[in-house]
Amino acid sequence: MIEPAHLARAADGTPYSETYGDVYHPSAGGLGQARHVFLAGNGLPQRWRDRDRFVIVETGFGLGLNFLATWAAWKDDPERCARIHYVSVEKHPFPREALAELHASWPELAALAKQLRQAWPPLVQGLHRLSFEGGRVTLDLVFDDAAAQLPQWQFKADALYLDGFSPAKNPELWDATLLRALSNLAAPGATLATWSVAASVREALAENGWALEKAPGFAGKREMLRGTMAGSADMPTASPGNKDRHIIVLGAGLAGTTTANRLAARGWQVSLIDAANGPGEGASGNRAGVLRPLPSRDDNPLAQITRAGYLATRRHLQALETAGIAGQVGGLWGKTGVLHLARDDTHEASQRAIVEAQRPPEDYLRYVDRAEAGALCGWPVDAGGWWFPNGAWVSPSQYCRANLLLHPENIATRFATHAAAIKHADGRWRVLDASGSCIAEAPHLVIANAADARRLLGDWLPVFPARGQVTQLPAERGSAPQCVVCRLGYVTPEIEGQRYAGATFLMKDPDPALRDADHAENLAKLDFMLPGFSTALTPAGLPGRVGFRPASPDRLPIVGDVPCLGSADTTSPPGLWLVNGFGARGIVWSALAAELLADAIEGCPPILRADLAKALAPSRFLARSRRAAKN
């Protein structure tokens, strides 16, 4: 649960935190402090020159002034590095409206501040990745307690901005354990800067390898603190082997096309290969699916990952729309909201209790009673439930097409091409056809070809096709429901004269033909959602679509490096990656999984903290396979 910051001011007008009893910046000026203490204190902009990527970690995002000052300095530097990756944690973020008032004090930053506010995420727990300057400036904004988050981060930073409230007012952010976790993130030769010279802070940092020095402070403050971590500052933060930025992606469904898009956005040359005649012709070829998170009472890992996935996909779709790609493909998504009705009274009480306990912002989730639920969807219903006002229906087939249009210069497609085998030799991966001829080769290979991945990687990987049948129904414009409705199934509003209801989910059923029995199941679910809606409908002969979705045993996606090839005892050569197992949540997982995989390939700060990323790693199945073999 996030407690937003409330805008207050000290007697002289300086922004003030009533929670901590301290100001956000000195009365002499927050922008001046950002430039003197954090930029100059870390030797910036000089230190980021001649670098591909420069990573900055900040404690206490606050008003965003340090980020905005860093971004402005990067834009103004003709010798700037290729990319800035800025990671900041904030326990009490400001609402967008308060930021607008606060940022008005710095008109020189107005253009950048406006972009930040336009991208400002809902105030829900977790990491929110915001992208600026065509992806060259990345802000990973973490809304959470730093003490809970920092020990879970695993990457290397080049500069640290220590900018919490005073150690006397907010000791948790200067705790020795937290400073040790921050120090563990420091790359060799990394620097840090802070306005605090408290003895406890200096002692904790010195114990963790920092060489410290005091320097003149800003305005009325006599001193500030600078530090350098042992090692050479010239050591790269990028992972080795990325000089040849060519990568093969097998599979052109949601997993493969989104991964290709995210890698192409980072400058990779992608060879996309699929056996079908075009993108999204497998399970990703459905006309519509649902985009919404899945809250839980204890906010378990599944709830956290679906929340992160939902928000990442929304940002990605919005970026496609802003770039004009949505208009090119047509019918990419419909921002109608999603109504998730309770199954029964017990479930409804649980839904209400979760909202009351977690108090999410209303633009993210709120509980609605039966009457309001009926009004939202335009049909009488027999239960209340969750209302996700920014939920949507998404066309997976159009989504796949759109992914390939944003950076076409970096994506080469090979359709109607069957990958019979993969082989590694001389530091490169090769994809071979049935005759043994090489289709494509590159240092990196991503396996995103649904359940066929098992044939290429080995039986240790438990990805199997799950048959899903969707029912298509005629719909008049403006007819109910006006939003997506879910309740043990889903139904969409009218989309170009049709609506879609479903879907079945059957393992070990290879039948590709439409079945009346499955239509009947979908109509029964439809009637459970919207009582009486399907009364006049009969399943016989209804149109629809059958797809086979790659499902994992734990219903979580599979994202990361491939631990073995063929036998569970055979270690895979480097450069082999997997993004798969999306099951029925391909839309929700797509952008998050693609970003997480791209992060791993590049060795940059990941979009998920370490414990959640580990829950998705392919190695989880290898460990289980080896334990089973021992027993």
Side-chain angles (χ1 to χ4, degrees):
M1 182 177 67
I2 294 296
E3 288 285 351
H6 299 286
L7 178 57
R9 295 187 184 272
D12 62 358
T14 304
Y16 178 83
S17 170
E18 295 175 331
T19 302
Y20 295 101
D22 200 0
V23 292
Y24 279 91
H25 60 73
S27 57
L31 185 54
Q33 176 178 262
R35 289 168 172 164
H36 178 87
V37 175
F38 298 106
L39 281 160
N42 277 287
L44 301 176
Q46 293 80 7
R47 286 190 58 239
W48 63 40
R49 293 172 180 167
D50 300 320
R51 300 287 294 274
D52 172 57
R53 179 179 65 248
F54 196 84
V55 179
I56 299 170
V57 170
E58 175 187 47
T59 57
F61 188 77
L63 318 182
L65 272 180
N66 293 338
F67 169 68
L68 293 170
T70 301
W71 182 4
W74 178 86
K75 281 180 68 71
D76 291 342
D77 183 8
E79 300 179 71
R80 59 181 174 265
C81 56
R83 290 180 292 172
I84 288 286
H85 199 130
Y86 194 104
V87 185
S88 184
V89 63
E90 178 55 61
K91 187 176 182 179
H92 301 292
F94 278 103
R96 181 186 286 109
E97 297 76 16
L99 285 177
E101 181 179 336
L102 291 161
H103 290 164
S105 298
W106 298 280
E108 60 267 62
L109 297 175
L112 302 185
K114 181 179 179 181
Q115 291 183 58
L116 174 62
R117 294 194 303 274
Q118 287 173 337
W120 197 245
L123 304 189
V124 296
Q125 194 172 32
L127 186 153
H128 305 266
R129 175 162 291 176
L130 312 183
S131 182
F132 307 98
E133 304 292 342
R136 292 177 295 161
V137 174
T138 298
L139 170 61
D140 282 349
L141 192 54
V142 185
F143 292 160
D144 208 336
D145 187 345
Q149 288 287 327
L150 281 173
Q152 289 292 342
W153 292 357
Q154 293 182 0
F155 58 87
K156 290 303 179 184
D158 302 296
L160 273 61
Y161 296 179
L162 306 188
D163 193 25
F165 290 110
S166 163
K169 304 285 187 178
N170 185 19
E172 293 83 2
L173 210 53
W174 305 89
D175 176 79
T177 301
L178 192 63
L179 293 178
R180 180 166 59 250
L182 271 171
S183 301
N184 289 337
L185 296 175
T191 60
L192 69 79
T194 178
W195 45 264
S196 176
V197 292
S200 60
V201 173
R202 287 185 282 113
E203 291 168 4
L205 291 172
E207 288 175 0
N208 285 284
W210 293 96
L212 302 170
E213 64 172 348
K214 293 180 181 179
F218 172 69
K221 189 167 178 59
R222 188 166 62 91
E223 295 176 316
M224 58 170 279
L225 192 65
R226 298 189 303 208
T228 304
M229 181 59 72
S232 171
D234 296 328
M235 294 182 67
T237 53
S239 61
N242 284 350
K243 290 183 179 180
D244 184 351
R245 296 175 70 80
H246 180 204
I247 191 164
I248 303 167
V249 177
L250 284 186
L254 282 177
T257 60
T258 315
T259 298
N261 176 285
R262 293 294 78 213
L263 287 166
R266 300 181 188 212
W268 287 77
Q269 294 296 315
V270 182
S271 295
L272 182 68
I273 301 171
D274 196 286
N277 293 322
E281 293 196 2
S284 299
N286 287 346
R287 182 65 183 88
V290 184
L291 177 60
R292 63 171 171 84
L294 188 66
S296 72
R297 188 182 294 269
D298 60 351
D299 199 33
N300 57 38
L302 176 61
Q304 294 179 50
I305 296 168
T306 55
R307 179 169 65 240
Y310 160 75
L311 293 170
T313 296
R314 267 199 60 87
R315 289 193 296 269
H316 183 54
L317 290 167
Q318 191 63 58
L320 291 172
E321 186 170 271
T322 301
I325 303 300
Q328 292 183 44
V329 300
L332 175 61
W333 63 327
K335 293 172 274 189
T336 62
V338 174
L339 180 63
H340 183 163
L341 297 172
R343 298 184 299 271
D344 51 38
D345 291 345
T346 300
H347 186 214
E348 184 170 353
S350 175
Q351 288 182 309
R352 186 191 302 110
I354 287 171
V355 172
E356 290 174 350
Q358 297 179 4
R359 288 185 289 166
E362 290 197 351
D363 62 349
Y364 175 78
L365 164 65
R366 64 187 179 91
Y367 165 78
V368 294
D369 62 20
R370 183 176 67 177
E372 187 173 2
L376 285 167
C377 71
W379 189 271
V381 295
D382 59 12
W386 284 330
W387 171 240
F388 300 98
N390 286 312
W393 63 261
V394 179
S395 170
S397 58
Q398 303 298 70
Y399 187 3
C400 292
R401 289 182 57 207
N403 277 328
L404 304 184
L405 295 176
L406 188 56
H407 303 284
E409 71 283 0
N410 288 346
I411 302 176
T413 58
R414 290 280 300 272
F415 294 117
T417 302
H418 175 65
I422 59 174
K423 181 181 179 181
H424 187 268
D426 303 322
R428 297 178 73 79
W429 284 96
R430 293 176 174 85
V431 178
L432 310 178
D433 64 15
S435 69
S437 298
C438 182
I439 299 169
E441 64 174 276
H444 296 270
L445 170 62
V446 177
I447 306 297
N449 58 342
D452 195 39
R454 198 163 185 258
R455 174 180 61 84
L456 296 174
L457 299 181
D459 291 343
W460 64 270
L461 179 65
V463 176
F464 299 95
R467 183 185 188 278
Q469 181 169 315
V470 176
T471 300
Q472 181 176 326
L473 302 169
E476 295 181 2
R477 183 177 295 275
S479 62
Q482 273 90 51
C483 62
V484 178
V485 182
C486 301
R487 195 188 193 195
L488 297 182
Y490 71 87
V491 60
T492 71
E494 179 268 340
I495 304 172
E496 298 178 350
Q498 303 291 321
R499 76 176 78 260
Y500 302 86
T504 60
F505 192 93
L506 294 171
M507 302 295 294
K508 299 181 180 180
D509 186 341
D511 182 12
L514 287 170
R515 298 194 297 231
D516 289 347
D518 288 31
H519 281 322
E521 180 181 333
N522 286 337
L523 292 180
K525 291 177 181 176
L526 176 56
D527 200 64
F528 185 53
M529 290 181 276
L530 305 175
F533 195 93
S534 63
T535 302
L537 299 172
T538 56
L542 284 174
R545 190 178 188 279
V546 174
F548 295 88
R549 298 161 290 190
S552 66
D554 55 14
R555 302 291 179 93
L556 287 173
I558 308 170
V559 187
D561 62 306
V562 175
C564 71
L565 186 60
S567 166
D569 296 323
T570 305
T571 301
S572 172
L576 186 60
W577 308 89
L578 184 64
V579 54
N580 214 310
F582 286 7
R585 296 193 177 100
I587 294 169
V588 174
W589 299 138
S590 56
L592 179 73
E595 282 285 312
L596 183 62
L597 190 72
D599 292 340
I601 291 170
E602 292 206 315
C604 64
I607 194 171
L608 279 180
R609 68 174 193 260
D611 59 326
L612 297 180
K614 184 178 180 181
L616 307 185
S619 58
R620 72 189 193 265
F621 298 116
L622 182 60
R624 295 171 193 175
S625 176
R626 288 173 173 168
R627 285 196 300 268
K630 289 181 180 179
N631 296 331

